[in-house]
Amino acid sequence: MSALQGTDPRSPHDHRHRACASATSEPFDHGAVSRFNAWFFDAFDRYINYIARRHKQAAFGELDSDVVVELGAGVGANLDHLRPGTQLIAIEPSLAMHDRLRERAAEVGVELVLLAQGAEELPLEDAAYDEVICSLVLCTVRDVEAVLAEVRRILRPGGRFRFVEHVAAPRWSPRRLLQRVIRRPWAWLFEGCTLDRDTASAVRAAGFASVEITGQRFRRSFFVPVNTTIWGIATR
Ligand SMILES: C[S@@+](CC[C@H](N)C(=O)[O-])C[C@H]1O[C@@H](n2cnc3c(N)ncnc32)[C@H](O)[C@@H]1O
């Protein structure tokens, strides 16, 4: 049995996990900008899942665990990849996302344990989980190395970290130039999203036993600045 160390006080105490210490990576609410992000990811959920379907199928298609940890779960973009009855430990620091995430988890019968904090310091036990997932989150976290170290720490040996991410376009490409030009307003609007992060190198350097990464564009995407994308599975 694994254990949660500190839960959102609003989350029900869970039979599969028990509370221990408090979370240190703070939740946030940036007012209108946070509300915009919650609206945006809810409104575009079907479209984003459509353009990312090959990536998500490849990364999350074989998820087979009763308990899944998700970093930056947003408003529940990946709930359809979980079986009803799965316990989702959702790490989500944006308070504006919470109501919709709760609502959608209930709709699909996923048991939600919602932790209102960032993934840089997870209040979860060492080597206790088989599956950690995320989509479009490693671009946004404050400290990607710290997050990846936490993912590796909480996974059991053989456990998998499955991810779908947008990353820096190739150096000197027109998209990379665009990423550099708009990176500041983009980061402001999307609450820290870094357009030109080299996430693949960060995952490869994070000390996993094996890392598979595939670079593939989203099909029919209107989101040009973020259409250098990868999916991957890192095994502890
Ligand atoms: C671009 S959104 C993606 C949301 C969702 N995963 C999806 O695919 O629609 C980025 C998410 O990461 C969350 N986030 C921001 N900083 C984070 C951190 N330090 N740790 C975990 N999640 C974080 C944001 O609140 C937001 O929900």
Side-chain angles (χ1 to χ4, degrees), residues 49-111:
N49 273 326
Y50 171 71
I51 61 179
R53 64 196 183 285
R54 292 180 306 161
H55 296 60
K56 290 200 175 183
Q57 191 50 40
F60 307 146
E62 288 173 10
L63 260 180
D64 182 27
S65 176
D66 291 342
V67 181
V68 172
V69 178
E70 180 167 8
L71 316 178
V75 294
N78 299 316
L79 286 167
D80 287 347
H81 294 277
L82 307 179
R83 287 192 307 256
T86 302
Q87 182 181 73
L88 176 66
I89 302 174
I91 315 299
E92 180 45 70
S94 173
L95 300 176
M97 305 271 187
H98 286 192
D99 286 348
R100 190 69 182 117
L101 177 58
R102 284 197 186 92
E103 223 171 77
R104 291 181 61 187
E107 278 164 21
V108 296
V110 162
E111 182 192 340

Side-chain angles (χ1 to χ4, degrees), residues 3 29 40 73-74 100-101 117 125 129 135 162 178 203 211:
D29 184 346
F40 180 91
R100 190 69 182 117
L101 177 58
Q117 63 155 93
E125 273 193 0
Y129 300 91
S135 65
R162 303 167 181 273
L178 176 64
V203 177
V211 177

